[in-house]
Amino acid sequence: MSQLLEVILRGRRSSGRLDLEAVEMATRAAMHRAGAAVLSELLTSSEAAPGKVPCGCGKQAPYHDSRPKQLTTVVGKVCFERAYYHCAHCRQGRSPRDRELDVEGTECSPGVRRMLAAVGSESSFEQGRAQLELLAGLDITTKAVERHAEAIGADIAAGEQAEIRRAKQLELPRVCAPAVPVLYLEMDGTGVPVVAAERAGRAGKTAGQPARTREVKLGCVFTQTHLDEQGRPVRDEASTSYVAAIETAEEFGLRLYTEAWNRGWSRARKKVVLGDGAVWIWNLADQHFPNAIQIVDLYHARQHLWELAAQLFGGDLRGRKRWARRLEHKLNRGKLEALVKTLREFPPPNPELARLLANEAQYFERNTERMRYPQFRAQGLFVGSGVVEAGCKTVVGARLKQSGMFWTVRGANAILALRCNRLSGKFEDYWESHARAA
Ligand SMILES: [Zn+2]
């Protein structure tokens, strides 16, 4: 402290003014150094270490020696001494003190690890490193941000897997929250760029090219209680929770089911599944959420009509517009049978467009009951899957699709688990229970 004061006073004498920023940063650094000295002393236990401790193998491990440990804490690097035990039976060595402090096998304190989880889920690992340096005065490598954020994400993911297994065996506890008026599930898929090793042998979007991305499946669960003055549904504030992973539809189905269960699915008065036309979404809805009202996103359905019109009418913009509007009108009024009939009766100009027309007719026919928009609106339900589409951008895109990013499936799934956990407002609970378990 006296050194710091001297620096400050000397600076003021020579320049006649106080450079507040330099002073505040120097003060923080000095406070950190003082804090680190206190912590180092505190952590070096003055109590006599026991002569032996129980070992994981069942035998007793005798005291071996006292060893130093370096730790990065929120006030910087500290070093302390703790007793080290070595088991002659299984040849494992350990320091019980590390477990007590929740720093076993890591060089970062719990406080720092929480910060690493926060910055690692928000932005690139390098940006996270820079943020910690500026905001917390911590000197941490980019690699350490990555390693710790991914480790915490993987731990969250492992906890979720345990819950999913319980869900599979129908062992989840009953949810006691009050019954929700309307519970919505929305699903979508979005590609994330992966490293070359994760693409090997997978078909790409361009024939003959390996896939450069893997699909992240994203699910959102939210509730709706009210309608606005115009009778339109309003999503309950802060009611959205997210799940996301690169995995099969089957695995994802169980993940979303588990989340829906925890959100009170079984007690919701009205249940709705919303998505685009992707077949996996509706297979999954049939399998896991059989009593839900299924709705195809209205904007996707409209887009199908406009894209088809563009193919059929080419440069005839007026004809294209008139035809698409007419079909859109049918769609909005829930006249799906008439819409499909129009598609089937359209005289195809060539075999390629005949196939396209048949495909589109099939798409609307297959989804007819999911496109009864007037009925859905009369019930005050959402007919667009905007929440999950926004989620694809905010949950997945903003963090995992920045330029130059290439993921391993393992790394992406860890960060997705961490990010969903935080954005769903579950992180504090996770951290607390994790600390209790340690
Ligand atoms: Zn042992």
Side-chain angles (χ1 to χ4, degrees), residues 153-172:
D155 190 51
I156 290 170
E160 288 168 355
Q161 282 306 326
E163 227 186 357
I164 290 168
R165 275 195 300 278
R166 282 198 294 279
K168 210 170 162 183
Q169 280 146 20
L170 307 173
E171 283 172 1
L172 284 183

Side-chain angles (χ1 to χ4, degrees), residues 55 57 87 89-90:
C55 178
C57 72
C87 173
H89 183 72
C90 68

Side-chain angles (χ1 to χ4, degrees), residues 172-190:
L172 284 183
R174 288 247 140 230
V175 178
C176 301
V180 179
V182 194
L183 193 58
Y184 289 88
L185 298 183
E186 293 188 6
M187 296 172 243
D188 204 355
T190 181

Side-chain angles (χ1 to χ4, degrees), residues 174 179-186 221-224 257 260-261 263-274 282 285 288-295 376 379 381-382:
R174 288 247 140 230
V180 179
V182 194
L183 193 58
Y184 289 88
L185 298 183
E186 293 188 6
V221 184
F222 65 94
T223 60
Q224 177 220 321
Y257 171 79
W261 177 275
R263 296 294 308 274
W265 181 259
S266 61
R267 302 186 58 227
R269 284 202 282 278
K270 211 170 260 179
K271 307 163 188 191
V272 181
V273 176
L274 256 157
W282 302 113
H288 293 288
F289 312 104
N291 303 317
I293 300 167
Q294 300 184 351
I295 303 177
F376 302 144
Q379 294 181 64
L381 298 176
F382 282 104

